[in-house]
Amino acid sequence: MELLKVENLTKSFGGLLAIHKLSFIVKEGEILGLIGPNGAGKTTLFNLISGALKPDKGRIFFGDAKISGLRPHKICKMGISRTFQDVKVFPNMTVVENIALAATFARERIPTNEAQRLATDLLRFCGLIEVKNMLARDLSLVNQKRLEVARALATQPKLILLDEMMAGLNPTETLDAMRLVKAIRDRGCTVFIVEHVLRAIMNLCDRVMVLHYGEKIAEGTPEEVCSNPKVIEVYLGEKYAQN
Amino acid sequence: MNFKLISLALIGVTLFFLVLLPFFGSPYSLVLLSNIFMYVVLTVTWVMFCGPTGYISLATSAFFGAGIYTAAVISFKVPLLLTVLVGALISFFLALIIGIVSLRLKGIYFAMFTFGFVELLLHFLLWYETNITGTTGRVVLTLSNQTVYYMMLALAFVTIVFTQYLNNSRYGMALKSIGENEMASEHIGIDTAKLKILTYCVSSSFVGACGVVMATRWTYVDPKIAFNPLYSFIPIFMAILGGARKLYGPILGAIVFTYLQEILTTRIPYYYMLFFGLLMVFVITFLPEGIVGIIDRRLKTKIN
């Protein structure tokens, strides 16, 4: 079952081709990893899917609906949610306000008590219950990242786009984050994740896709991708292959 | 709960007193209070949109002027309440135009755009008056002090109640999230463009209505009087003085500022603007959160 289908997607900024004729699908219930060198177009791709950017060419389908060209709030309401590489929490709101706001707007006319219940559930799920009344700006980086995930989940998505949620975390925090990603999938939410922490990608993903200068150069299981000579050349490096 | 009851009682008593004031107060007190109510409306509506979102609008005088001009054109022909309604509607649509055109502008660009819009309107009207209608100014219907007073009291009351209601609704929180991070708020399902424009339009229509009522105090207006850019800046000063974080901030700011202005224009008519300049510098440097900031700090130390 394909949940998201991208066809021939192209996006350029001035003369720079950020995404070039990219086609792929995300299957329902999987964890799909996206890796590639800096500037490969990973975040651009997320921006195109979430509606932050409009594609120059190509189409994106979510289920049966065409979503390319729609504004972000519409796409969010249809069931795609995301986190940001550079954390974008609402700094002067409390943790629980951040989450509750997302819960009340993503679905039409959700009753207040249901939104509250969802928020409490997500606080527990993401390990934020102890800091729930703190202002988001006072949180540590790891908690801000968790808050972004909780806020994204509060919109009750079918697909969540996680953009480098493990960057800047220490090994223990990374392990926690990996557990969280697995748990998100177990809740029934499909995961599409950009990550430089390869250990996480290897452990978590059912499939991995590799981008290089906006083009897909490899796709397959983590093992397949890691033994692909082209991937080793442009991204992993010879040393990684020897290990 | 107790605190809420006390403040409700206080508001009730104040309102009761204000409604009865025309029966025992001096004419001067009515004029002064009408002026205060006017600035309360201008300041509270400015904070309603610009406070949470962080968009600095300098178009208040465009909406105020639109109200004044509406009064100048139709006040002799239709009932007062209809004039107020038309003034509000015209301001609503002016704000809609600004909102749609400047949707993608942020920060200083939005501020400059709105400021330019006022000048554009002013000069368009000047051109229109001199070249098409061949007039230079217009006479406005005059109302009694008491009528103006009651209209302004009602308008200020409605503005405050509406703002309070908006701030406590989910839309108030959504507006705040736009100011905190607009991209993130779009990505959690908030139609930021629609919310921004609608809030701007509604807040502006209060300003338009206010312009209609206050125009009756001038008897004669021309475009330069109606679209005086000072009405864009004074509400911002008042909001800064009072503090924009809480609803009572802009109200307090408007009251204190208007009262000071009243006193100073009579005591030191030539230098009073100098005084305000110094006051602004002082407040921005030492009280960035205005009067609200002082009160909050006092309350906190008391609780601790």
Side-chain angles (χ1 to χ4, degrees):
Chain A
M1 268 292 285
E2 56 187 50
L3 185 63
L4 186 86
K5 186 164 82 181
V6 172
E7 281 178 2
N8 244 331
L9 199 65
T10 300
K11 176 77 188 175
S12 56
F13 300 108
L16 182 79
L17 210 52
I19 296 285
H20 185 54
K21 288 190 178 164
L22 181 67
S23 300
F24 66 93
I25 59 162
V26 181
K27 294 178 196 154
E28 196 168 346
E30 74 173 340
I31 299 179
L32 175 64
L34 178 61
I35 57 174
N38 288 328
K42 305 183 295 291
T43 297
T44 303
L45 178 59
F46 272 18
N47 282 336
L48 288 165
I49 296 173
S50 76
L53 292 172
K54 287 196 166 57
D56 298 336
K57 277 187 204 128
R59 294 182 299 178
I60 304 171
F61 292 92
F62 186 55
D64 297 322
K66 179 168 170 282
I67 58 164
S68 40
L70 292 182
R71 302 236 319 278
H73 67 98
K74 285 246 168 76
I75 292 175
C76 169
K77 286 198 161 103
M78 293 172 80
I80 300 181
S81 178
R82 72 173 291 184
T83 65
F84 297 90
Q85 186 180 358
D86 48 333
V87 182
K88 292 191 199 298
V89 292
F90 302 128
N92 295 307
M93 293 188 193
T94 64
V95 169
V96 72
E97 280 171 346
N98 264 274
I99 300 172
L101 185 66
T104 46
F105 270 91
R107 291 279 170 277
E108 287 311 329
R109 294 278 138 226
I110 181 172
T112 321
N113 57 347
E114 198 178 309
Q116 285 299 337
R117 220 193 45 230
L118 180 63
T120 316
D121 170 44
L122 286 169
L123 283 170
R124 210 166 290 133
F125 184 73
C126 296
L128 293 165
I129 205 95
E130 273 144 43
V131 294
K132 68 174 186 176
N133 291 320
M134 274 171 76
L135 290 180
R137 63 161 184 223
D138 294 332
L139 296 181
S140 61
L141 177 70
V142 57
N143 277 339
Q144 289 195 356
K145 295 207 161 197
R146 284 177 188 156
L147 174 56
E148 277 225 320
V149 175
R151 190 180 62 186
L153 289 174
T155 68
Q156 299 175 276
K158 292 187 207 105
L159 171 66
I160 188 168
L161 314 173
L162 299 172
D163 198 348
E164 293 205 26
M165 67 180 288
M166 293 166 205
L169 303 191
N170 70 32
T172 332
E173 291 164 350
T174 308
L175 270 180
D176 283 344
M178 284 165 64
R179 246 176 255 137
L180 183 60
V181 174
K182 277 214 176 90
I184 292 171
R185 194 256 302 267
D186 294 341
R187 279 169 80 101
C189 180
T190 307
V191 179
F192 189 11
I193 180 170
V194 164
E195 198 53 68
H196 279 303
V197 180
L198 274 178
R199 190 163 55 103
I201 290 283
M202 293 301 147
N203 277 314
L204 287 173
C205 298
D206 303 307
R207 289 190 308 132
V208 179
M209 182 165 90
V210 189
L211 273 190
H212 184 47
Y213 287 121
E215 290 183 59
K216 182 165 74 179
I217 58 167
E219 189 179 9
T221 63
E223 293 75 27
E224 283 166 12
V225 165
C226 282
S227 51
N228 183 318
K230 207 166 170 193
V231 177
I232 292 168
E233 188 196 322
V234 304
Y235 184 58
L236 300 175
E238 296 292 338
K239 267 207 184 125
Y240 188 88
Q242 279 157 18
N243 294 338
Chain B
M1 192 60 207
N2 218 353
F3 183 73
K4 206 174 173 185
L5 265 178
I6 293 170
S7 37
L8 267 180
L10 245 150
I11 291 167
V13 170
T14 316
L15 210 59
F16 183 71
F17 177 78
L18 286 175
V19 168
L20 291 182
L21 186 76
F23 298 105
F24 57 84
S26 65
Y28 171 72
S29 66
L30 293 191
V31 173
L32 174 64
L33 276 169
S34 303
N35 234 341
I36 288 179
F37 295 149
M38 171 185 92
Y39 279 119
V40 166
V41 172
L42 297 190
T43 311
V44 168
T45 50
W46 186 83
V47 171
M48 186 198 298
F49 173 74
C50 302
T53 61
Y55 281 78
I56 307 295
S57 164
L58 294 177
T60 309
S61 56
F63 311 126
F64 193 57
I68 292 174
Y69 236 75
T70 310
V73 175
I74 64 170
S75 63
F76 288 105
K77 297 168 198 149
V78 299
L80 177 65
L81 279 177
L82 187 62
T83 320
V84 172
L85 208 66
V86 172
L89 268 178
I90 289 177
S91 294
F92 185 95
F93 284 109
L94 280 179
L96 189 65
I97 294 170
I98 293 184
I100 290 170
V101 176
S102 68
L103 200 60
R104 271 177 239 118
L105 303 179
K106 292 206 172 119
I108 189 77
Y109 300 101
F110 180 77
M112 290 311 293
F113 180 90
T114 51
F115 185 65
F117 190 82
V118 178
E119 291 293 301
L120 182 74
L121 260 182
L122 162 63
H123 288 279
F124 171 75
L125 271 177
L126 268 179
W127 171 84
Y128 186 84
E129 294 260 294
T130 36
N131 291 305
I132 312 284
T133 57
T135 51
T136 46
R138 288 159 185 276
V139 180
V140 189
L141 178 76
T142 316
L143 297 176
S144 70
N145 283 339
Q146 198 170 327
T147 315
V148 173
Y149 175 82
Y150 276 126
M151 296 284 297
M152 288 314 299
L153 176 62
L155 204 53
F157 182 71
V158 172
T159 308
I160 291 168
V161 169
F162 178 81
T163 312
Q164 174 70 4
Y165 178 76
L166 177 73
N167 287 351
N168 289 337
S169 75
R170 62 184 194 139
Y171 295 104
M173 201 54 128
L175 281 170
K176 190 176 167 192
S177 80
I178 292 176
E180 306 257 291
N181 195 316
E182 193 162 345
M183 187 173 180
S185 75
E186 261 197 297
H187 277 84
I188 57 168
I190 296 169
D191 190 345
T192 53
K194 196 160 130 195
L195 182 62
K196 274 190 301 185
I197 293 178
L198 258 181
T199 312
Y200 194 48
C201 290
V202 171
S203 72
S204 304
S205 52
F206 285 115
V207 177
C210 182
V212 170
V213 179
M214 293 310 285
T216 61
R217 296 258 309 267
W218 275 298
T219 54
Y220 168 86
V221 297
D222 66 24
K224 285 208 162 145
I225 299 175
F227 292 90
N228 185 348
L230 217 54
Y231 289 111
S232 290
F233 290 102
I234 290 181
I236 302 178
F237 289 155
M238 291 176 169
I240 293 171
L241 177 68
R245 223 158 31 76
K246 296 246 166 72
L247 178 58
Y248 68 83
I251 300 174
L252 268 182
I255 294 172
V256 172
F257 201 109
T258 319
Y259 190 65
L260 270 180
Q261 199 178 25
E262 267 316 295
I263 295 176
L264 294 176
T265 39
T266 48
R267 300 276 160 79
I268 40 168
Y270 299 108
Y271 300 109
Y272 87 99
M273 275 316 249
L274 182 76
F275 176 83
F276 276 121
L278 286 174
L279 180 68
M280 266 353 277
V281 171
F282 176 80
V283 170
I284 291 171
T285 319
F286 297 107
L287 306 168
E289 294 193 344
I291 302 175
V292 167
I294 308 177
I295 297 177
D296 266 16
R297 236 171 295 151
R298 277 279 160 82
L299 281 179
K300 255 179 211 158
T301 45
K302 239 184 198 170
I303 289 165
N304 291 344

